Coordinates of all heavy atoms in Angstrom, one line a residue:
M1 N 133.9 87.4 27.5 CA 132.8 86.9 28.3 C 132.9 85.3 28.3 O 133.0 84.7 27.2 CB 131.5 87.3 27.6 CG 131.0 88.7 27.9 SD 130.3 88.9 29.5 CE 128.6 88.5 29.1
P2 N 132.7 84.7 29.5 CA 132.7 83.2 29.5 C 131.5 82.7 28.9 O 130.4 83.2 29.1 CB 132.8 82.9 31.0 CG 132.4 84.2 31.7 CD 132.6 85.3 30.8
N3 N 131.7 81.6 28.2 CA 130.5 81.0 27.5 C 130.5 79.5 27.8 O 131.5 78.9 28.0 CB 130.7 81.2 25.9 CG 129.9 82.3 25.4 OD1 128.8 82.6 25.9 ND2 130.4 83.0 24.4
P4 N 129.3 79.0 27.8 CA 129.2 77.5 28.0 C 129.8 76.8 26.8 O 129.7 77.2 25.6 CB 127.7 77.2 28.1 CG 127.0 78.4 27.6 CD 128.0 79.6 27.7
K5 N 130.5 75.7 27.1 CA 131.2 75.0 26.1 C 130.3 74.2 25.1 O 130.5 74.1 23.9 CB 132.2 74.0 26.7 CG 133.5 73.8 25.9 CD 134.5 73.2 26.8 CE 135.9 73.9 26.5 NZ 136.9 73.5 27.4
R6 N 129.2 73.7 25.7 CA 128.3 72.9 24.8 C 126.8 73.4 25.0 O 126.5 73.9 26.1 CB 128.3 71.4 25.2 CG 129.6 70.7 24.7 CD 129.6 69.3 25.2 NE 131.0 68.9 25.3 CZ 131.8 68.7 24.2 NH1 131.4 68.9 23.0 NH2 133.1 68.3 24.4
K7 N 126.1 73.1 24.0 CA 124.6 73.4 24.1 C 124.0 72.4 25.1 O 124.4 71.2 25.1 CB 124.1 73.2 22.7 CG 122.6 73.1 22.5 CD 122.3 72.9 21.1 CE 120.9 72.5 20.9 NZ 120.6 72.3 19.5
H8 N 123.1 72.9 25.9 CA 122.4 72.0 26.8 C 121.4 71.1 26.1 O 120.8 71.6 25.1 CB 121.6 72.8 27.9 CG 122.5 73.5 28.9 ND1 121.9 74.2 29.9 CD2 123.8 73.4 29.1 CE1 122.9 74.6 30.7 NE2 124.1 74.2 30.2
S9 N 121.4 69.8 26.5 CA 120.5 68.9 25.8 C 119.0 69.2 26.1 O 118.7 69.9 27.0 CB 120.8 67.5 26.3 OG 120.5 67.4 27.7
R10 N 118.2 68.7 25.2 CA 116.7 68.9 25.4 C 116.3 68.3 26.8 O 115.4 68.8 27.4 CB 116.0 68.2 24.3 CG 115.9 69.0 23.1 CD 115.2 68.2 22.0 NE 115.4 68.8 20.7 CZ 114.7 69.8 20.2 NH1 113.7 70.2 20.9 NH2 114.9 70.3 19.0
A11 N 116.9 67.2 27.2 CA 116.5 66.6 28.4 C 116.9 67.5 29.6 O 116.1 67.7 30.5 CB 117.2 65.2 28.6
R12 N 118.0 68.2 29.5 CA 118.4 69.1 30.6 C 117.5 70.3 30.6 O 117.1 70.8 31.7 CB 119.9 69.5 30.3 CG 120.4 70.2 31.5 CD 121.9 70.4 31.3 NE 122.4 71.4 32.3 CZ 123.6 71.7 32.6 NH1 124.6 70.9 32.0 NH2 124.0 72.6 33.4
Q13 N 117.2 70.8 29.4 CA 116.2 71.9 29.3 C 114.9 71.5 29.9 O 114.3 72.3 30.7 CB 116.1 72.3 27.9 CG 115.1 73.4 27.6 CD 114.9 73.6 26.1 OE1 115.9 73.9 25.4 NE2 113.7 73.4 25.6
A14 N 114.4 70.3 29.6 CA 113.1 69.9 30.1 C 113.1 69.7 31.6 O 112.2 70.0 32.3 CB 112.7 68.5 29.4
K15 N 114.3 69.2 32.1 CA 114.4 69.0 33.6 C 114.3 70.4 34.3 O 113.7 70.5 35.4 CB 115.7 68.3 33.9 CG 115.6 66.8 33.9 CD 116.9 66.2 34.4 CE 117.3 65.1 33.5 NZ 118.8 64.7 33.7
R16 N 115.0 71.4 33.7 CA 114.9 72.7 34.3 C 113.5 73.2 34.3 O 113.1 73.8 35.3 CB 115.9 73.6 33.5 CG 115.9 75.1 34.1 CD 116.9 75.9 33.4 NE 116.5 76.2 32.0 CZ 117.3 75.8 30.9 NH1 118.5 75.2 31.1 NH2 116.9 76.1 29.7
R17 N 112.8 73.0 33.2 CA 111.5 73.5 33.1 C 110.4 72.8 33.9 O 109.2 73.2 33.9 CB 111.1 73.6 31.6 CG 111.9 74.6 30.9 CD 111.6 74.8 29.5 NE 112.4 75.8 28.9 CZ 112.5 76.1 27.6 NH1 111.7 75.4 26.7 NH2 113.3 77.0 27.1
T18 N 110.8 71.7 34.5 CA 109.8 71.0 35.4 C 109.3 71.9 36.5 O 108.3 71.7 37.1 CB 110.3 69.7 36.0 OG1 111.5 70.0 36.7 CG2 110.6 68.7 34.9
H19 N 110.2 72.9 36.9 CA 109.8 73.8 38.0 C 109.0 75.0 37.5 O 108.6 75.8 38.3 CB 111.1 74.3 38.7 CG 111.9 73.2 39.3 ND1 111.6 72.6 40.4 CD2 113.0 72.5 38.8 CE1 112.4 71.6 40.7 NE2 113.3 71.6 39.7
D20 N 108.9 75.2 36.2 CA 108.2 76.4 35.6 C 106.7 76.1 35.6 O 106.1 75.9 34.5 CB 108.7 76.7 34.2 CG 110.2 77.1 34.2 OD1 110.8 77.2 35.3 OD2 110.7 77.3 33.1
V21 N 106.1 76.0 36.7 CA 104.7 75.7 36.7 C 103.9 76.9 37.4 O 104.4 77.4 38.5 CB 104.4 74.4 37.5 CG1 102.9 74.1 37.4 CG2 105.3 73.3 37.1
L22 N 102.9 77.3 36.8 CA 102.0 78.3 37.5 C 100.9 77.6 38.2 O 100.3 76.7 37.6 CB 101.4 79.3 36.4 CG 102.4 80.3 35.8 CD1 101.7 81.0 34.6 CD2 103.0 81.3 36.8
T23 N 100.6 78.0 39.4 CA 99.5 77.4 40.1 C 98.4 78.4 40.4 O 98.7 79.6 40.6 CB 100.0 76.8 41.4 OG1 100.7 77.8 42.2 CG2 100.9 75.6 41.2
V24 N 97.2 78.0 40.3 CA 96.1 78.8 40.7 C 96.0 79.0 42.2 O 96.1 78.1 42.9 CB 94.7 78.2 40.1 CG1 93.6 79.1 40.4 CG2 94.8 77.9 38.7
P25 N 96.0 80.3 42.6 CA 96.0 80.5 44.1 C 94.7 80.0 44.7 O 93.6 80.1 44.1 CB 96.2 82.0 44.2 CG 95.7 82.6 43.0 CD 96.0 81.6 41.9
T26 N 94.8 79.6 46.0 CA 93.6 79.1 46.7 C 93.0 80.3 47.4 O 93.7 81.2 47.8 CB 93.9 78.0 47.7 OG1 95.0 78.5 48.5 CG2 94.3 76.7 47.1
F27 N 91.7 80.3 47.5 CA 90.9 81.4 48.1 C 90.2 80.9 49.3 O 89.7 79.7 49.3 CB 89.9 82.0 47.1 CG 90.6 82.8 46.0 CD1 90.8 82.3 44.8 CD2 91.0 84.1 46.3 CE1 91.5 83.0 43.8 CE2 91.7 84.8 45.3 CZ 91.9 84.3 44.1
A28 N 90.1 81.7 50.3 CA 89.2 81.5 51.4 C 88.2 82.6 51.5 O 88.4 83.7 51.0 CB 90.0 81.4 52.7
K29 N 87.0 82.2 52.0 CA 86.0 83.3 52.1 C 86.2 84.1 53.3 O 86.5 83.6 54.4 CB 84.6 82.6 52.1 CG 83.8 82.8 50.8 CD 82.3 82.7 51.0 CE 81.9 81.3 51.4 NZ 80.4 81.2 51.5
C30 N 86.0 85.4 53.2 CA 86.1 86.3 54.3 C 84.9 86.1 55.2 O 83.8 86.1 54.8 CB 86.1 87.8 53.9 SG 86.1 89.0 55.2
P31 N 85.2 85.8 56.5 CA 84.0 85.5 57.4 C 83.1 86.7 57.7 O 82.0 86.6 58.1 CB 84.7 85.0 58.7 CG 86.1 85.5 58.7 CD 86.4 85.7 57.2
R32 N 83.6 87.9 57.4 CA 82.9 89.1 57.6 C 82.0 89.5 56.5 O 80.8 89.8 56.6 CB 83.8 90.2 58.0 CG 83.1 91.4 58.6 CD 84.1 92.4 59.3 NE 83.4 93.5 59.8 CZ 83.1 94.6 59.0 NH1 83.6 94.7 57.8 NH2 82.5 95.6 59.5
C33 N 82.6 89.6 55.2 CA 81.9 90.1 54.1 C 81.7 89.0 53.0 O 81.1 89.3 52.0 CB 82.6 91.3 53.5 SG 84.2 91.0 52.9
N34 N 82.1 87.8 53.3 CA 81.9 86.7 52.4 C 82.6 86.8 51.0 O 82.3 86.1 50.1 CB 80.5 86.3 52.2 CG 79.9 85.6 53.4 OD1 80.6 84.7 54.0 ND2 78.7 85.8 53.8
Q35 N 83.5 87.8 50.9 CA 84.2 88.0 49.6 C 85.4 87.0 49.6 O 86.0 86.6 50.7 CB 84.8 89.4 49.5 CG 83.7 90.5 49.2 CD 83.3 90.4 47.8 OE1 84.1 90.5 46.9 NE2 82.0 90.4 47.6
P36 N 85.9 86.5 48.4 CA 87.0 85.7 48.4 C 88.3 86.4 48.8 O 88.4 87.6 48.5 CB 87.1 85.2 46.9 CG 86.3 86.2 46.2 CD 85.2 86.7 47.1
R37 N 89.1 85.8 49.5 CA 90.3 86.4 50.1 C 91.4 85.4 50.2 O 91.1 84.2 50.3 CB 89.9 86.9 51.5 CG 90.9 87.5 52.4 CD 90.5 87.4 53.8 NE 90.5 86.0 54.2 CZ 90.5 85.5 55.5 NH1 90.5 86.4 56.5 NH2 90.6 84.3 55.8
L38 N 92.7 85.8 50.1 CA 93.8 84.8 50.2 C 93.9 84.4 51.7 O 93.8 85.3 52.6 CB 95.1 85.5 49.7 CG 95.2 85.7 48.2 CD1 96.4 86.5 47.9 CD2 95.2 84.4 47.4
P39 N 94.2 83.2 52.0 CA 94.3 82.7 53.3 C 95.4 83.4 54.1 O 96.5 83.7 53.5 CB 94.5 81.2 53.3 CG 94.5 80.8 51.8 CD 94.3 82.0 51.0
H40 N 95.3 83.7 55.3 CA 96.3 84.4 56.2 C 96.6 85.8 55.7 O 97.7 86.3 55.9 CB 97.5 83.5 56.3 CG 97.2 82.1 56.8 ND1 97.4 81.0 56.0 CD2 96.7 81.7 58.0 CE1 97.0 79.9 56.7 NE2 96.6 80.3 57.9
R41 N 95.7 86.4 55.0 CA 95.9 87.7 54.5 C 94.7 88.6 54.9 O 93.6 88.1 55.2 CB 95.9 87.8 52.9 CG 97.1 87.6 52.1 CD 98.4 87.4 52.7 NE 98.8 86.0 52.6 CZ 99.4 85.5 51.5 NH1 99.7 86.3 50.4 NH2 99.7 84.2 51.4
I42 N 95.0 89.9 55.0 CA 93.9 90.9 55.3 C 92.9 90.8 54.2 O 93.3 90.7 53.0 CB 94.5 92.3 55.5 CG1 95.5 92.3 56.7 CG2 93.4 93.3 55.7 CD1 96.4 93.5 56.7
C43 N 91.6 91.0 54.5 CA 90.6 91.0 53.4 C 90.8 92.3 52.6 O 90.9 93.4 53.2 CB 89.2 90.9 54.1 SG 87.9 91.1 52.9
G44 N 90.8 92.2 51.3 CA 91.0 93.4 50.5 C 89.7 94.2 50.3 O 89.7 95.3 49.8
N45 N 88.6 93.6 50.8 CA 87.3 94.3 50.6 C 87.0 95.1 51.9 O 86.6 96.3 51.8 CB 86.2 93.2 50.3 CG 84.9 93.9 50.1 OD1 84.8 94.7 49.2 ND2 83.9 93.6 50.9
C46 N 87.1 94.4 53.1 CA 86.6 95.2 54.3 C 87.8 95.5 55.2 O 87.7 96.3 56.1 CB 85.6 94.3 55.1 SG 86.2 92.7 55.6
G47 N 89.0 95.0 54.9 CA 90.2 95.4 55.7 C 90.3 94.7 57.1 O 91.0 95.2 57.9
Y48 N 89.6 93.6 57.3 CA 89.6 93.0 58.5 C 90.5 91.8 58.5 O 90.7 91.1 57.5 CB 88.1 92.5 58.9 CG 87.4 93.5 59.7 CD1 87.0 94.7 59.2 CD2 87.0 93.3 61.1 CE1 86.3 95.7 59.9 CE2 86.3 94.2 61.8 CZ 86.0 95.4 61.2 OH 85.2 96.3 62.0
Y49 N 91.1 91.5 59.7 CA 91.8 90.2 59.8 C 91.6 89.8 61.3 O 91.8 90.6 62.2 CB 93.3 90.4 59.6 CG 94.0 89.1 59.6 CD1 94.0 88.2 58.5 CD2 94.7 88.7 60.7 CE1 94.6 87.0 58.5 CE2 95.4 87.4 60.7 CZ 95.3 86.6 59.6 OH 95.9 85.4 59.6
D50 N 91.3 88.5 61.4 CA 91.0 87.9 62.7 C 90.0 88.7 63.6 O 90.2 88.9 64.8 CB 92.4 87.8 63.5 CG 92.3 86.6 64.5 OD1 91.5 85.7 64.4 OD2 93.2 86.7 65.5
G51 N 88.9 89.1 62.9 CA 87.9 89.8 63.5 C 88.2 91.2 64.0 O 87.5 91.8 64.8
R52 N 89.2 91.8 63.4 CA 89.7 93.1 63.9 C 90.0 94.0 62.6 O 90.5 93.5 61.6 CB 91.0 92.9 64.6 CG 91.7 94.0 65.3 CD 92.7 93.5 66.3 NE 93.8 92.8 65.6 CZ 94.9 93.5 65.1 NH1 95.0 94.8 65.4 NH2 95.9 92.9 64.5
L53 N 89.6 95.3 62.7 CA 89.9 96.2 61.6 C 91.4 96.5 61.5 O 91.9 97.1 62.5 CB 89.0 97.4 61.7 CG 89.1 98.5 60.6 CD1 88.6 97.9 59.3 CD2 88.4 99.7 61.0
V54 N 92.0 96.2 60.5 CA 93.5 96.4 60.4 C 93.8 97.5 59.4 O 94.6 98.4 59.7 CB 94.2 95.1 59.9 CG1 95.7 95.2 59.9 CG2 93.8 93.9 60.8
V55 N 93.1 97.5 58.2 CA 93.3 98.6 57.3 C 92.0 99.3 57.0 O 91.0 98.6 56.8 CB 93.9 98.0 56.0 CG1 94.3 99.1 55.0 CG2 95.2 97.2 56.2
K56 N 92.0 100.6 57.0 CA 90.8 101.3 56.6 C 90.9 101.7 55.2 O 91.9 102.4 54.8 CB 90.7 102.5 57.5 CG 89.7 102.3 58.7 CD 89.5 103.6 59.5 CE 89.1 103.3 60.9 NZ 89.4 104.3 61.8
Y57 N 89.9 101.3 54.4 CA 89.8 101.8 53.0 C 88.8 102.9 53.0 O 87.6 102.7 53.3 CB 89.3 100.7 52.1 CG 90.3 99.5 52.1 CD1 89.9 98.3 52.7 CD2 91.5 99.5 51.5 CE1 90.7 97.2 52.7 CE2 92.4 98.4 51.5 CZ 92.0 97.3 52.1 OH 92.8 96.2 52.1
S58 N 89.2 104.1 52.6 CA 88.3 105.2 52.5 C 87.7 105.4 51.2 O 88.2 104.8 50.2 CB 89.0 106.5 53.0 OG 90.2 106.6 52.4
Ligands
ZN1 ZN1 86.0 91.0 54.2

């Protein structure tokens, strides 16, 4: 198995981890049922998108 020749420095490890960030998703209110919903997504509560019923939850 090929192996790295040297251990990566702490600086290199830290530079790689600058991308390891979790962000809190933004929410938009559903105009129909006022529930929080992800923008540009179908509402998980009423199944509407752009004023139109897209998914029926039975
Ligand atoms: Zn809704």
